[in-house]
Amino acid sequence: MKHLLSIESMDKRDIETILENAAVMKAQRGNNQYQPLAGQTWAMIFTKSSTRTRVSFETGIQELGGKVMFLNSNDMQLGRGEPIKDTARVLGRMVHGAVIRTFAQDDVEQFAHWSNIPTINALTDAEHPCQIIADIFTYQELRGPIKGKIVTFIGDGACNVPISWIWAANKLGFKLRIAAPKSHQPCPDLVNKAGGNIIVTEDCNAAADGADLLYTDVWVSMGMEKEAAQREIDFAGYQINKSLVSLAHKDTLVMHCLPAYRSKEIDESTLEAHSEIIFTQAENRLHAQKAILDWLV
Ligand code: CP
Ligand code: NVA
């Protein structure tokens, strides 16, 4: 039984297989009859909001021949306290796979363990693995191999997206720089465990110098709304803007996992100047996740 629960738990070869297959899925979209999910029904259990992840998985599952059921966890008994392990054992007898977006990584791991069906992490507080696979696919589609390149993340270095980048760096051989305020840097033990070439700094300019990819994410992740006012103070200056882009490599890609908050983590003119890349990155969630689904079944 295969699952996609984190970049941490993935083999380098499996990531590479998915990246190769994502290119095939993109090239063949609309003109192939390949339906590996035919006869299957997948459940999507979401505790947090979503636009890209929800729409790309619903579309992708259907394009691969499957049926899909979207479940807001608040409408389920899960929302009234039914344990994950019971929910998992029920769904595992009814559907063929699950895509879960929630808070605790342990909940996704528990679901995978008890359900005995392929389970995908569609974002937890710990990781956003589908996002990072689509991002790396996008980089390589536009610029070639990411191995040896400099990836710079600006912003909340302790949230799910940079953490998935951290786990990917050593496996795929790119250099990762994270510029974040001291209070929002990734845990040093995690960075050490991931290994590879990773620099964590408070200095955005030093991190952006010569970067091949400049990347950011929201300052206030889902679940952190009560900290929003303090975070606006903490993250002031941790923004991708024209002056930061000017320090990067001349062919740098500016990417954002979206949703974007203008004048916070990125300014309006920089987002619009790089919108073709950023929305290709969003589109690639679909192709990359079809490759993930195909790899799982
Ligand atoms: N980037 C991303 O996961 O977007 P959604 O929250 O809209 O799914
Ligand atoms: N770090 C963000 C990612 C959104 C796609 C969050 O968790 O809200």
Side-chain angles (χ1 to χ4, degrees), residues 38-106:
Q40 297 198 5
T41 299
W42 280 59
M44 296 179 49
I45 307 169
F46 278 42
T47 307
K48 292 175 175 172
S49 305
S50 174
T51 298
R52 281 143 288 270
T53 308
R54 176 178 176 176
V55 174
S56 54
F57 267 114
E58 290 205 32
T59 305
I61 289 167
Q62 293 178 86
E63 288 188 1
L64 293 177
K67 292 192 165 58
V68 61
M69 178 191 303
F70 183 82
L71 301 162
N72 179 331
S73 64
N74 290 327
D75 298 334
M76 302 172 73
Q77 297 292 1
L78 196 55
R80 302 179 64 243
E82 185 170 18
I84 286 279
K85 66 179 182 180
D86 293 357
T87 307
R89 281 179 284 188
V90 172
L91 267 67
R93 287 165 182 253
M94 295 179 181
V95 299
H96 303 89
V99 181
I100 303 179
R101 169 170 284 201
T102 191
F103 294 89
Q105 177 72 18
D106 187 58

Side-chain angles (χ1 to χ4, degrees), residues 2-17:
K2 284 196 269 189
H3 306 289
L4 196 148
L5 302 178
S6 61
I7 301 291
E8 178 183 6
S9 61
M10 287 190 81
D11 288 341
K12 166 191 163 79
R13 185 64 212 136
D14 288 335
I15 300 172
E16 288 171 345
T17 299

Side-chain angles (χ1 to χ4, degrees), residues 85-215:
K85 66 179 182 180
D86 293 357
T87 307
R89 281 179 284 188
V90 172
L91 267 67
R93 287 165 182 253
M94 295 179 181
V95 299
H96 303 89
V99 181
I100 303 179
R101 169 170 284 201
T102 191
F103 294 89
Q105 177 72 18
D106 187 58
D107 284 352
V108 180
E109 312 242 350
Q110 286 291 317
F111 188 96
H113 174 78
W114 289 100
S115 66
N116 206 32
I117 53 174
T119 301
I120 297 175
N121 174 359
L123 180 150
T124 62
D125 291 344
E127 278 215 39
H128 196 358
C130 299
Q131 177 73 54
I132 270 54
I133 290 171
D135 298 340
I136 294 170
F137 169 61
T138 306
Y139 182 85
Q140 300 201 141
E141 178 186 39
L142 297 167
R143 292 286 187 271
I146 199 165
K147 188 168 185 204
K149 300 294 185 191
I150 300 170
V151 176
T152 294
F153 180 93
I154 305 286
D156 181 5
C159 79
N160 41 22
V161 168
I163 290 173
S164 287
W165 276 109
I166 287 170
W167 291 115
N170 197 18
K171 295 182 200 234
L172 298 181
F174 58 84
K175 297 167 192 155
L176 180 63
R177 300 175 185 163
I178 296 181
K182 228 12 179 201
S183 50
H184 298 283
Q185 293 183 348
C187 168
D189 290 348
L190 186 151
V191 176
N192 288 337
K193 192 174 169 201
N197 189 330
I198 301 176
I199 293 169
V200 180
T201 175
E202 290 178 90
D203 186 340
C204 289
N205 291 350
D209 184 32
D212 297 291
L213 169 54
L214 275 180
Y215 193 108

